[in-house]
Amino acid sequence: DAGVIQSPRHEVTEMGQEVTLRCKPISGHNSLFWYRQTMMRGLELLIYFNNNVPIDDSGMPEDRFSAKMPNASFSTLKIQPSEPRDSAVYFCASSSEQNQPQHFGDGTRLSIL
Amino acid sequence: KQEVTQIPAALSVPEGENLVLNCSFTDSAIYNLQWFRQDPGKGLTSLLLIQSSQREQTSGRLNASLDKSSGRSTLYIAASQPGDSATYLCAVIKGFQKLVFGTGTRLLVSP
């Protein structure tokens, strides 16, 4: 079975550019999560969706960040405009229901110059 | 605010040793607790999920326990191997699958 698929694996871009990260959850999973990992703050939940609906976006750091889930098999996390402090590894995860484990993708390593 | 702490931050052991990783959390009102491992440059791999009604879970050489009243969980690794070298993260789940991660323990098992 295919796991959670994220793209791109690496992204290097200049400050001010728009960045779009993509995620395909495991088929049949109805919850999707976006996380950010940095050395300073560890792993933090940014936003999560249940049945394609955003449930909690309190972890989204600023209005420059937005996330969408247009259907059950695809989600995007967008940063516009990007800043150097957004540099981090961004993970997407999915799960099937409340008492089931979350499964993570391999992440997108984002570097903003 | 829920805080999750893992001790030790780093651990280096020779192959074959049994070891214990600790996880403590400040708010005992949790649903579940999940243990992960993370290899360098990789995502997280789920190891064990302990539901709030359970006290422990086992998978192969791994055993995780949960004591909600004291706000503690331990991950026991038996007969450690070099392939166990990774960062181990615990995460508490409080409401709607919202994971709050610990600080991690970096484990190195030398041959």
Side-chain angles (χ1 to χ4, degrees):
Chain A
D1 286 343
V4 175
I5 299 172
Q6 291 186 245
S7 64
R9 288 297 315 277
H10 299 90
E11 174 91 10
V12 181
T13 192
E14 292 188 346
M15 175 179 174
Q17 297 297 307
E18 178 178 292
V19 173
T20 300
L21 310 181
R22 297 173 176 79
C23 176
K24 177 179 169 54
I26 292 173
S27 177
H29 284 190
N30 60 3
S31 294
L32 182 140
F33 309 81
W34 283 101
Y35 294 88
R36 179 171 67 176
Q37 186 175 37
T38 62
M39 289 292 291
M40 291 294 293
R41 300 174 67 90
L43 263 163
E44 301 174 290
L45 177 66
L46 300 177
I47 184 171
Y48 70 94
F49 296 83
N50 186 253
N51 293 323
N52 311 339
V53 176
I55 301 299
D56 186 342
D57 65 355
S58 60
M60 296 285 262
E62 300 172 34
D63 291 345
R64 299 183 295 105
F65 286 69
S66 63
K68 293 182 180 180
M69 191 164 187
N71 57 62
S73 60
F74 183 67
S75 176
T76 59
L77 177 67
K78 187 173 293 188
I79 308 173
Q80 167 62 23
S82 57
E83 297 183 4
R85 59 196 168 114
D86 301 331
S87 298
V89 182
Y90 291 81
F91 289 104
C92 175
S94 69
S95 71
S96 57
E97 56 185 71
Q98 178 81 15
N99 287 325
Q100 294 302 312
Q102 293 185 21
H103 297 268
F104 282 67
D106 284 341
T108 295
R109 185 173 296 276
L110 177 63
S111 297
I112 308 297
L113 306 177
Chain B
K1 179 187 171 187
Q2 177 73 272
E3 293 186 4
V4 184
T5 305
Q6 292 185 243
I7 294 173
L11 182 62
S12 182
V13 299
E15 182 177 6
E17 272 202 14
N18 301 325
L19 52 100
V20 175
L21 308 182
N22 297 292
C23 172
S24 61
F25 45 94
T26 53
D27 184 352
S28 61
I30 65 171
Y31 281 121
N32 305 318
L33 186 142
Q34 193 167 354
W35 281 93
F36 297 87
R37 69 174 278 168
Q38 184 175 26
D39 295 283
K42 296 287 189 180
L44 280 69
T45 300
S46 178
L47 297 173
L48 291 164
L49 173 72
I50 310 176
Q51 298 181 16
S52 60
S53 58
Q54 299 172 323
R55 293 193 63 84
E56 65 178 304
Q57 278 286 329
T58 298
S59 175
R61 294 182 294 107
L62 305 179
N63 175 275
S65 66
L66 174 63
D67 184 343
K68 281 180 58 178
S69 61
S70 66
R72 300 169 73 89
S73 176
T74 59
L75 178 67
Y76 175 82
I77 303 176
S80 58
Q81 302 171 357
D84 295 330
S85 299
T87 296
Y88 290 80
L89 294 154
C90 70
V92 298
I93 303 165
K94 184 177 171 66
F96 265 109
Q97 307 183 66
K98 192 169 181 177
L99 288 176
V100 178
F101 281 90
T103 46
T105 294
R106 191 164 54 252
L107 173 66
L108 177 64
V109 181
S110 50

